[in-house]
């Protein structure tokens, strides 16, 4: 049922927020070596990157980013947003991206999870956003559509985004982390499911994969909190990007899956220290959710680029007046589309 | 390979939650031998047995259970002419049990469903999990990627709006099945040997605006919140369709729950489904449904209930009106069904006058 995919159709994009990637790369080695990797160094990181031998990769640092992007844009590729530069310069059909503090997880039988293979399976089998299948992914081995599932909806649609999960340190916000400092996620939920159309969700950037051809420009580094930091719970950039992608996928009739694969996320940081910064993000979501629930894209918007422009204009109009951060975000979204059109699609290939 | 738990492994819980507030409704046409296996989990509760088929046959209920049993004669006697809305020769008749119950919660289970084992080998107390599902909130307005945030070891993820974290009341808990999966006839014919061995350790809320195929094999609901909408339609003898009873109820309750701001959960608990029904017989029953559902689904997806429908009964009557208006053209069956939906509500209101607290019915 799945589309056959060659290794050279896949890029693995890693945003390096830590200089020493040795243990990270070595842990992922059995899974990553087959593929081409794009490592983007956080421009704020001062130390030299330490990357072990034996990988097929391109590394991009601040000078490369400046050279490609120049001063023409308001987009800031620092912190977790650095990975989007990798999405921009990749020329592959599929991108898999994990945070550099994540390692391969184990499944419920104790075997190491090949997160890349699972993401690719998710992206190359259909999604079913128009009706919920109670046995979850009907295309997985040992499952199918259940009684009562309309036959006309069984061919499904292209899956554009695959959202994985996290063992150990789950992707909680700072207040939740602070309240439950000992909680670790050990539950292995053996399922992939399509998130229904018109349903919104928080899409975490920690462990994702996407079809760059279908939705590349819709993953965007455009919302920066004033107190944006180097811990996931000090950012909302991926949550914002995820809301845009979901709305755009719903409009374009593309699917979003969630569930497997798991990655193991290392403990780090002090959530209580981040609490003060976090409230900005928490407040932001309250404004943002009603906006995304109501936004409607015109029928003429048939590409991801067009859709991003429409969303950006709506953000400027409806959210801009509430907070200057949203006005900046809308501008950054338009800049991103321009950047995508000039750098993202041309035959331009920047040096490492 | 999925296997049922053996009776000796089933350990009764220290406290039977909601034992005076929940009825277990079981439709049967054969026998109730399966109850023996469920005894440690079910014995504290009151059972309502709905006997389908030949009313002269005696269905033996295992010793020690507190129950009331209704056969077709009882149904006819109690409902009079309104009995026409209750199906005959189809497990859809179970909804009569919902109507006569006096409890807040209902758990319904098929007589070929046994206790399943979780991956650690422990027997699953399905009823206990359903009760947990019903007593904790649902979150239909925003999807939580770690599934049920109220489960131990889970929570709302980053980005989940705080204003939506209280959730809403849970009206329905839809459980799943190991071993024989709930496939339709065509799928059964193509994959006769497929068994569901995957234990998915999750409960989740089905988002608002999303429909799903609701299976009646392992289902619990809050009768006070949604009971009147749990009508299982006209199926079986004299009807052009079968095996769409729970589906029909599921589409109705989902539209109504979405309208009233109530939640529907799916996932755990699992039961062990032992019997694969004959796919050729099933095909004949489902045949029309397979075509009709192509019209029915868009109908439910587009159904809008007016703001003044503030009770389940009002919502259901309005839905019946719309079924008559929009689906009769698909087949005259829907005209009959719409009438039966109204009859059901009339019967429900007669048997469940508001305000009165009534004791259980008596066993025969």
């Amino acid at each position: 049922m799945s589309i056959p995919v060659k290794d050279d159709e896949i890029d693995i994009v890693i945003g390096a927020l830590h200089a020493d990637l040795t243990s990270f790369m070595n842990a992922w080695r059995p899974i990553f070596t087959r593929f081409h990797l794009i490592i983007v160094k956080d421009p704020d990181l001062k130390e030299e990157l330490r990357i072990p031998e034996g990988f097929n990769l391109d590394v991009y640092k601040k000078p490369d980013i400046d050279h490609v992007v120049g001063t023409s844009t308001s987009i800031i590729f620092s912190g977790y947003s650095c990975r989007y530069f990798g999405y921009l310069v990749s020329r592959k059909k599929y991108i898999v991206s994990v945070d550099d503090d994540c390692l391969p997880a184990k499944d419920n039988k104790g075997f190491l999870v090949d997160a890349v293979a699972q993401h690719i399976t998710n992206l190359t089998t259909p999604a079913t956003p128009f009706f919920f299948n109670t046995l979850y992914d009907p295309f997985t081995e040992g499952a199918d559509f259940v009684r009562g599932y309309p036959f006309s909806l069984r061919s499904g649609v292209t899956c554009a985004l695959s959202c994985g999960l996290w063992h150990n340190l789950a992707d909680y916000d700072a207040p939740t982390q602070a309240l439950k400092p000992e909680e670790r996620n050990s539950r292995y939920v053996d399922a992939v499911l399509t998130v229904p159309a018109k349903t919104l969700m928080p899409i975490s950037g920690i462990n994702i994969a996407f079809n760059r051809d279908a939705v590349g420009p819709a993953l965007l580094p455009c919302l920066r909190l004033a107190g944006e930091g180097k811990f996931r719970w000090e950012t909302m950039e991926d949550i914002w990007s995820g809301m845009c992608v979901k709305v755009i996928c719903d409009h374009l009739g593309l699917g979003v899956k969630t569930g497997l694969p798991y990655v193991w996320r290392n403990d780090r940081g002090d959530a209580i220290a981040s609490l003060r910064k976090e409230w900005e993000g928490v407040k932001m979501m309250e404004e943002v959710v009603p906006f995304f629930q109501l936004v409607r894209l015109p029928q003429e918007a048939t590409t991801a680029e067009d859709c991003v422009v429409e969303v950006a204009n709506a953000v400027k109009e409806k959210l801009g007046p509430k907070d200057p951060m949203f006005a900046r975000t809308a501008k950054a979204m338009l800049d991103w589309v321009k950047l995508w059109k000039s750098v993202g699609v041309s035959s331009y290939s920047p040096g490492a | 390979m999925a296997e049922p738990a053996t009776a000796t492994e089933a350990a009764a819980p220290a406290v039977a939650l909601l034992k005076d507030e929940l009825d277990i409704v079981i439709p049967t046409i054969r026998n109730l031998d399966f109850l023996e296996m469920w005894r440690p989990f079910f014995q504290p509760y009151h059972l309502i047995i709905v006997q389908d088929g030949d009313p002269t046959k005696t269905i033996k209920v295992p010793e020690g259970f507190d129950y009331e049993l209704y056969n077709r004669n009882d149904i006819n006697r109690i409902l009079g002419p309104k009995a026409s809305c209750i199906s005959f020769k189809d497990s859809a008749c179970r909804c009569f049990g919902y109507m006569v119950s006096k409890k807040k919660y209902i758990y319904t289970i098929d007589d070929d469903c046994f206790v399943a084992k979780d991956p650690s080998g422990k027997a699953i107390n399905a009823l206990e999990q359903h009760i947990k599902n019903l007593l904790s909130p649902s979150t239909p307005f925003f999807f939580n990627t770690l599934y049920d945030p109220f489960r131990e070891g889970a929570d709302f993820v980053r980005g989940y709006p705080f204003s939506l974290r209280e959730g809403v009341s849970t009206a329905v808990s839809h459980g799943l099945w190991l071993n024989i999966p709930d496939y339709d006839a065509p799928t059964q014919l193509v994959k006769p040997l497929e068994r569901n061995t995957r234990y998915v350790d999750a409960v989740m809320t089905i988002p608002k605006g999303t429909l799903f195929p609701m299976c009646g094999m392992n289902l619990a609901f809050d009768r006070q919140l949604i009971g009147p909408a749990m009508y299982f339609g006209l199926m079986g003898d004299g009807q052009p369709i079968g095996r769409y009873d729970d589906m029909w109820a599921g589409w109705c309750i989902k539209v109504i729950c979405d309208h009233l701001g109530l939640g529907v959960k799916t996932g755990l608990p699992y039961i062990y489904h032992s019997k694969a029904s004959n796919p050729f017989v099933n095909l004949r029953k489902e045949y029309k449904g397979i075509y009709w559902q192509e019209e029915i689904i868009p109908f439910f997806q587009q159904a809008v209930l007016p703001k003044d429908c503030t009770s389940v009964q009002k919502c259901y009557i309005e839905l019946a009106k719309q079924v008559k208006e929009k689906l009769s053209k698909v087949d005259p069956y829907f005209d009959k069904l719409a009438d039966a939906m109204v009859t059901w509500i009339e019967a429900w209101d007669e048997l469940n006058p508001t305000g009165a607290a009534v004791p259980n019915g008596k066993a025969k």
Side-chain angles (χ1 to χ4, degrees), chain A residues 144 152 154 173 238 286, chain B residues 158 163 165 184 191 294:
Chain A
D144 211 309
S152 62
R154 294 193 188 196
D173 51 44
D238 52 347
E286 299 299 331
Chain B
R158 176 176 55 104
S163 60
R165 293 194 188 196
D184 52 45
K191 295 175 157 192
E294 297 298 331

Side-chain angles (χ1 to χ4, degrees), chain A residues 42-154:
Chain A
D42 176 3
D44 297 340
L45 194 56
K46 298 286 177 272
E47 303 161 61
E48 281 301 307
L49 285 184
R50 283 194 292 292
I51 300 171
E53 296 283 318
F55 292 92
N56 168 19
L57 47 74
D58 284 304
V59 181
Y60 299 97
K61 303 175 200 161
K62 185 170 183 339
D64 304 306
I65 299 175
D66 290 342
H67 176 70
V68 168
V69 167
T71 48
S72 62
T73 184
S74 63
I75 297 169
I76 302 165
F77 286 99
S78 82
Y80 285 104
S81 296
C82 66
R83 60 168 58 189
Y84 293 90
F85 183 78
Y87 302 166
L88 185 66
V89 299
S90 165
R91 288 294 174 266
K92 301 294 168 70
K93 180 167 181 189
Y94 301 103
I95 291 189
V96 178
S97 191
V98 298
D99 278 6
D100 66 357
D101 58 359
C102 293
L103 303 174
K106 290 213 175 93
D107 68 16
N108 52 4
K109 294 186 173 65
F111 295 117
L112 228 51
V113 171
D114 184 342
V116 176
Q118 181 66 56
H119 273 307
I120 296 301
T121 299
N122 293 350
L123 292 172
T124 54
T125 49
T128 50
F130 305 119
F131 207 80
F132 191 90
N133 192 45
T134 49
L135 279 187
Y136 315 110
D137 184 358
F139 299 102
T140 199
E141 182 85 38
D144 211 309
F145 291 97
V146 295
R147 175 175 57 98
Y149 202 105
F151 277 80
S152 62
L153 295 179
R154 294 193 188 196

Side-chain angles (χ1 to χ4, degrees), chain A residues 136-137 165 188-193 258-260, chain B residues 147 198 200 204:
Chain A
Y136 315 110
D137 184 358
L165 294 174
Y188 188 87
V189 179
D190 188 6
V192 177
L193 55 135
T258 188
L260 303 179
Chain B
Y147 314 111
R198 181 176 285 112
V200 179
M204 63 192 80

Side-chain angles (χ1 to χ4, degrees), chain A residues 118-243:
Chain A
Q118 181 66 56
H119 273 307
I120 296 301
T121 299
N122 293 350
L123 292 172
T124 54
T125 49
T128 50
F130 305 119
F131 207 80
F132 191 90
N133 192 45
T134 49
L135 279 187
Y136 315 110
D137 184 358
F139 299 102
T140 199
E141 182 85 38
D144 211 309
F145 291 97
V146 295
R147 175 175 57 98
Y149 202 105
F151 277 80
S152 62
L153 295 179
R154 294 193 188 196
S155 15
V157 298
T158 302
C159 179
L161 189 70
S162 166
C163 310
L165 294 174
W166 341 271
H167 272 164
N168 194 46
L169 206 65
D171 191 13
Y172 291 147
D173 51 44
T176 309
Q177 286 282 171
L179 253 170
K180 297 173 155 188
E182 303 305 315
E183 182 152 298
R184 296 293 180 267
N185 186 25
S186 56
R187 184 174 285 130
Y188 188 87
V189 179
D190 188 6
V192 177
L193 55 135
T194 300
V195 182
K198 293 192 242 94
T199 297
L200 293 176
M201 63 192 270
I203 295 182
S204 165
I206 296 173
N207 172 19
I208 54 164
F210 58 99
N211 180 327
R212 189 181 175 279
D213 288 356
V215 291
L219 280 95
L220 29 90
C222 296
L223 185 134
R224 291 192 76 82
L225 297 177
E228 175 120 346
K230 306 294 188 193
F231 295 100
R232 269 294 181 193
W233 57 66
E234 291 173 349
T235 82
M236 283 295 214
E237 57 85 10
D238 52 347
I239 305 296
W240 175 267
S241 171
M243 304 279 269

Side-chain angles (χ1 to χ4, degrees), chain B residues 216-340:
Chain B
M217 261 198 266
N218 173 22
L219 183 70
F221 59 94
D222 184 324
R223 201 175 153 275
Q224 276 171 17
L225 286 180
I226 199 66
M230 277 290 186
Y231 175 47
F232 271 37
L234 289 173
M235 307 278 147
D237 231 42
Q239 306 299 343
I241 189 175
R243 282 170 61 85
Y244 271 86
D245 51 336
D246 41 7
M247 297 297 136
W248 182 263
W251 299 324
C252 292
I253 62 98
K254 189 58 166 59
V255 166
I256 293 174
C257 283
D258 285 353
H259 176 80
L260 295 176
L262 300 169
V264 175
K265 291 183 181 176
T266 188
L268 302 183
Y270 282 90
I271 48 87
Y272 182 92
H273 184 211
S274 67
K275 251 202 186 67
S277 39
N278 183 311
F280 296 98
V281 171
N282 289 345
L283 187 56
R284 212 174 298 128
K285 290 182 183 174
E286 290 172 17
Y287 178 76
K288 291 217 161 104
I290 288 173
Y291 289 93
W292 289 349
Q293 74 189 359
E294 297 298 331
E295 312 271 353
I296 297 171
I297 302 290
F299 163 76
F300 280 104
Q301 282 171 333
Q302 290 153 27
V304 175
L305 299 173
K307 275 209 172 69
D308 62 359
C309 289
T310 49
S311 72
V312 178
Q313 285 93 325
K314 287 200 187 109
C315 289
Y316 203 74
I317 297 285
E318 173 62 30
L319 214 47
K321 216 175 78 188
Q322 293 183 20
V323 168
K324 199 183 258 271
E325 262 166 40
K326 305 214 170 98
L327 290 179
S328 296
K329 59 175 165 18
V330 176
D331 192 276
Y333 165 76
F334 291 101
D335 200 56
K336 265 183 20 182
L337 180 58
D339 289 339

